[in-house]
Amino acid sequence: LEHTRREFSSESKMPLNQAATSDPQRVWLQLANGRKLAITDEGDGSSGVVIAMHGSPGSVRDFRYLGAHLERAGVRVVRIDFPG
């Protein structure tokens, strides 16, 4: 796999100690087996894509602090909300 590195100006960096959060609206998908699965999708993807999967117990909100920083860095963040 090819790894790319993107440089950022100091203005585009968000200090990790800031309490910026990202909590996008969930989109519901109907699976072939009849179950429903919720996902969120944010960011433009110019710096790559991250698929975030939570543990149990958990939800897509587990990534609300990380999502804000990744989105600001141009990363597309797709969070999967597993049932349970």
Side-chain angles (χ1 to χ4, degrees), residues 1-76:
L1 297 174
E2 183 179 325
H3 176 73
T4 59
R5 180 176 175 186
R6 184 173 175 193
E7 298 296 327
F8 298 96
S9 67
S10 59
E11 301 90 47
S12 68
K13 290 184 180 177
M14 179 186 298
L16 291 176
N17 62 357
Q18 286 186 3
T21 61
S22 170
D23 203 9
Q25 181 149 356
R26 292 180 182 142
V27 175
W28 290 90
L29 305 174
Q30 182 79 35
L31 304 179
N33 64 3
R35 292 183 140 189
K36 291 183 180 178
L37 182 68
I39 66 164
T40 65
D41 191 349
E42 60 188 314
D44 64 18
S46 62
S47 293
V49 178
V50 170
I51 307 286
M53 300 181 294
H54 65 80
S56 180
S59 77
V60 294
R61 297 201 72 234
D62 293 351
F63 303 101
R64 64 189 176 275
Y65 295 101
L66 179 62
H69 293 284
L70 291 174
E71 181 181 9
R72 192 143 178 200
V75 176
R76 179 180 176 193

